[in-house]
Amino acid sequence: RWDFPGAFYFVGTVVSTIGFGMTTPATVAGKLFLIIYGLFGCAGTILFFNLFLERIISLLAFIMRACYERQLQRSGLLPPNFRRGSAVSGVGSLVGWKPSVYHVMLILGIFAVTLSCCASAMYTAVEGWNYVDSLYYCFVTFSTIGFGDLVSNQKATYQHQGLYRFGNFMFILLGVCCIYSLFNVISIVIKQILNWALKKLECRCCPKCHKSSSRLSRRNAITPGARLRRHNAAAEAEGQNDSDTEGRRLSGEMISMRELTASSKVSLAILQKQLSETANGYPRNVCINTRQNGFSAGVGALAIMNNRLAETSDSR
């Protein structure tokens, strides 16, 4: 039927690439117009599906992040008055958090199954099909396969025809968008599985990896030279850390290891000098400022601190 609802239904099957084949253009002008319109219409529909996928993933990520934050609040890892965008969001388990693709696939799968079950119930009641045929029609239509053996909205009259046409259009639109998003997420999962399988296959085929894995086959075995290799690796790591952390302090340290070593060397030199002067009977030259301010010279690290206090006491 080439009335407006029928033509609108036909255009929807064209731009969504379903193509049942029950309704086709008969004239040359209609076929040429379909080629030109289908070129832009299919491209625009694919763009719409991609935008729908982006929005639905953003919505699912927002909901999953809110659920994750509530779970952290219940476990005590986040304060109860936590607000998104505050300084607390930069610490803890929320740093670098991303939703799992498997959770997104599960949610989209549940939504697609629920939508297909609801649409199948409508087609069973209106079209007179059995429930399995209705589910089959939903999958063929929503996945844009479009065999054409079962096509909805083909009878001359329906009870509540306007409401049924609107419901049919909405179910097809939402179903195609949902299945398209689900197919994209499934393709990501398949890609991850293939990358994992190829990596495992490459490691098994690679002689070097196979040799290293056979060397570590026994869990508690100690191979000859293992301790020497560990000692060399630890020495290299320590030297690299010393060069990398020069002039810097680790978090929570009052003084770096390099500064502590330098101060110990200075303390040892002063201590040796003072002990030598005491043993030889030479008088120690005590700073005048030290005598005036009551600072005793001391020995070792205490002498360094006292001398530093004596140097800065004039300015205080």
Side-chain angles (χ1 to χ4, degrees), residues 16-44:
S16 61
T17 68
I18 296 175
F20 287 122
M22 303 297 293
T23 305
T24 56
T27 62
V28 176
K31 293 178 180 179
L32 293 176
F33 177 77
L34 177 63
I35 293 174
I36 299 173
Y37 176 77
L39 180 64
F40 295 97
C42 293

Side-chain angles (χ1 to χ4, degrees), residues 14-182:
V14 170
V15 297
S16 61
T17 68
I18 296 175
F20 287 122
M22 303 297 293
T23 305
T24 56
T27 62
V28 176
K31 293 178 180 179
L32 293 176
F33 177 77
L34 177 63
I35 293 174
I36 299 173
Y37 176 77
L39 180 64
F40 295 97
C42 293
T45 305
I46 292 175
L47 177 61
F48 172 76
F49 288 161
N50 290 328
L51 293 176
F52 180 85
L53 173 62
E54 182 181 353
R55 295 297 180 270
I56 195 68
I57 295 299
S58 300
L59 177 62
L60 291 179
F62 177 79
I63 296 175
M64 294 170 64
R65 183 181 177 88
C67 296
Y68 184 69
E69 290 176 357
R70 180 169 296 182
Q71 182 180 0
L72 291 179
Q73 288 178 356
R74 291 178 179 177
S75 60
L77 298 178
L78 284 179
N81 56 352
F82 172 76
R83 293 181 181 180
R84 183 164 298 146
S86 59
V88 186
S89 62
V91 296
S93 302
L94 290 177
V95 177
W97 181 87
K98 293 181 180 179
S100 175
V101 66
Y102 301 103
H103 294 165
V104 174
M105 182 181 66
L106 179 62
I107 295 174
L108 286 175
I110 293 174
F111 184 74
V113 170
T114 304
L115 188 66
S116 299
C117 291
C118 296
S120 299
M122 184 188 71
Y123 293 133
T124 300
V126 178
E127 297 289 347
W129 303 331
N130 57 52
Y131 195 77
V132 177
D133 289 341
S134 299
L135 282 175
Y136 164 77
Y137 168 77
C138 289
F139 176 76
V140 171
T141 303
F142 296 164
S143 61
T144 69
I145 297 175
F147 288 126
D149 50 350
L150 293 175
V151 181
S152 62
N153 198 20
Q154 295 299 310
K155 294 181 181 180
T157 57
Y158 289 96
Q159 188 178 4
H160 308 291
Q161 186 169 353
L163 183 62
Y164 171 66
R165 286 181 173 178
F166 177 76
N168 186 28
F169 170 75
M170 292 302 299
F171 273 122
I172 291 177
L173 178 63
L174 293 177
V176 172
C177 291
C178 185
I179 295 296
Y180 177 83
S181 303
L182 182 61

